Amino acid sequence: MDFYDELAPLYHLIYPDWDRSMALQAEQLDQLVRQHWPGSHKVLDVACGIGTQALGLAALGYSVVASDLSSKEVERARAEAEKRQLTLALKVGDMRQAHALHGGGFDVLMACDNAVPHLLNDEDLLQAFKQFFACLKPGGGCLITVRDYVREERGRNLVKHYGARVEDGKRYVLFQVWDFEGSHYDFSFFVVEEDLATGQVHTHVMRSRYYAVSTERLCALMEDAGFAQVQRLDGCFYQPVLVGTRPQT
């Protein structure tokens, strides 16, 4: 988790306006929950990062329990919740042990921001999805958002730009570089930090690896884990959304 521990203080810079993105995503997720699992109140976020979705949903009145494998991100999410006077129950933990960490009875479980492809093989994904299933009450819903890797270019030295941000007298330029190897890719996340007063520049580089798994394969694994009514939804969030429901019986 060195990648996310190092990224934690800079994570909000991924978004041009983090607070605005937080509110927009919460509104979109709220609409999805109301549409697919009306009456839901108790939400479990198993890949909360610094709280982008969890904080937004808590602000809308949901009861939110959240966890992440990165202790630094959980620490930041806790600080952001306190700053906003929001109630957010937070733990450090692996999504592959979600039920052992949180127990069951949740109305909705979510894992957003392309979190599940950090699990690098189908076996780990299926283990996680079975844990997600166990965390939900009968009739509860699972909501996952991921990149559409079928549409992504394959190769090496692929540059993904995030743009420039100015904050507290500093300019930050963010971009990723991807290097594919089969169905996986290594990526380096560069954050170039420039002090606008002194001109001094510092470059942060964080590295990790993803499984470029298709949404079709993820849906099949969700069904293997026991979920029903599994489908991909487009145009309702900034990434494709995969949903499935734990059957009533």
Side-chain angles (χ1 to χ4, degrees):
M1 275 295 98
D2 288 348
F3 174 85
Y4 283 106
D5 282 351
E6 293 175 23
L7 183 60
L10 304 167
Y11 197 109
H12 65 287
L13 296 170
I14 292 173
Y15 303 97
D17 183 331
W18 185 48
D19 284 286
R20 184 177 179 183
S21 294
M22 195 187 308
L24 175 61
Q25 290 187 38
E27 178 184 333
Q28 293 168 333
L29 292 169
D30 177 51
Q31 290 176 0
L32 286 165
V33 169
R34 290 175 184 273
Q35 178 183 353
H36 293 275
W37 310 287
S40 294
H41 178 67
K42 190 176 181 183
V43 174
L44 173 60
D45 183 348
V46 295
C48 69
I50 63 171
T52 304
Q53 295 81 32
L55 292 167
L57 289 174
L60 291 181
Y62 284 89
S63 172
V64 183
V65 176
S67 59
D68 198 276
L69 195 55
S70 166
S71 61
K72 294 295 184 183
E73 292 205 330
V74 169
E75 182 181 319
R76 173 142 188 220
R78 184 174 288 113
E80 297 290 347
E82 291 174 357
K83 184 189 304 182
R84 293 166 172 78
Q85 298 183 317
L86 294 171
T87 300
L88 196 60
L90 286 154
K91 295 182 179 180
V92 176
D94 190 324
M95 68 176 73
R96 290 169 294 183
Q97 282 85 48
H99 184 259
L101 185 65
H102 298 292
F106 290 92
D107 297 322
V108 176
L109 179 148
M110 63 182 187
C112 298
D113 285 340
N114 203 50
V116 297
H118 274 300
L119 303 178
L120 299 179
N121 55 64
D122 288 359
E123 291 75 18
D124 279 351
L125 285 166
L126 181 57
Q127 178 186 341
F129 292 167
K130 287 179 177 179
Q131 289 283 299
F132 296 178
F133 186 91
C135 287
L136 291 166
K137 71 177 188 180
C142 178
L143 188 158
I144 296 169
T145 81
V146 290
R147 287 183 181 270
D148 187 352
Y149 282 114
V150 171
R151 298 191 175 190
E152 293 286 354
E153 180 186 358
R154 304 298 173 102
R156 301 184 65 81
N157 300 313
L158 304 174
V159 180
K160 309 289 183 176
H161 292 283
Y162 284 77
R165 323 279 188 239
V166 176
E167 180 179 278
D168 298 330
K170 294 182 178 180
R171 177 163 53 203
Y172 299 87
V173 179
L174 297 86
F175 61 95
Q176 292 185 9
V177 180
W178 294 9
D179 293 309
F180 270 91
E181 183 180 336
S183 59
H184 296 79
Y185 67 97
D186 297 303
F187 73 101
S188 300
F189 197 153
F190 292 83
V191 181
V192 181
E193 177 184 335
E194 177 188 8
D195 189 312
L196 294 175
T198 66
Q200 291 184 328
V201 174
H202 176 70
T203 300
H204 309 264
V205 187
M206 295 142 286
R207 297 180 172 87
S208 191
R209 187 171 175 85
Y210 272 118
Y211 175 18
V213 59
S214 69
T215 58
E216 181 180 11
R217 183 60 185 147
L218 288 170
C219 286
L221 289 168
M222 289 176 70
E223 290 176 343
D224 289 346
F227 286 103
Q229 300 172 322
V230 176
Q231 58 183 310
R232 169 177 164 166
L233 306 173
D234 292 296
C236 52
F237 200 70
Y238 81 96
Q239 291 178 331
V241 178
L242 311 181
V243 296
T245 298
R246 175 171 176 165
Q248 290 284 358
T249 56

